[in-house]
Amino acid sequence: MIKLLKVLHFIGILMLLAGGYLYLQTDFTQQVSGMLMVASLIGIGTLIMSPLPVALVFEWARKQSTSDKPEE
């Protein structure tokens, strides 16, 4: 599961960078279709990046709870 989220995170970073590049380096955003494309790239890229940090925190918390149990 974590491997899939890492792949999605990487794809999200690429989409975010592509949207930023289109916004900053081209005149593509002067048209409505360009604005829509750039906003979609940035928004969807950010959206698919977000589950990985949450999953990593849950995994860390699970490891913490199992290591905190007193041994008898």
Side-chain angles (χ1 to χ4, degrees):
M1 181 71 170
I2 296 292
K3 289 182 182 181
L4 173 65
L5 291 177
K6 284 183 181 180
V7 170
L8 287 175
H9 192 80
F10 182 70
I11 292 170
I13 289 173
L14 291 178
M15 289 175 72
L16 186 65
L17 291 175
Y21 173 78
L22 287 174
Y23 179 70
L24 295 173
Q25 300 296 327
T26 64
D27 291 333
F28 188 60
T29 57
Q30 298 299 319
Q31 305 164 357
V32 174
S33 61
M35 290 178 202
L36 183 63
M37 176 65 78
V38 169
S40 297
L41 280 171
I42 292 173
I44 294 171
T46 305
L47 185 68
I48 65 174
M49 281 174 45
S50 60
L52 180 64
V54 174
L56 290 176
V57 166
F58 284 150
E59 184 178 321
W60 172 78
R62 187 179 314 127
K63 286 180 183 177
Q64 292 293 317
S65 66
T66 58
S67 66
D68 289 342
K69 291 183 180 176
E71 296 183 22
E72 296 177 10

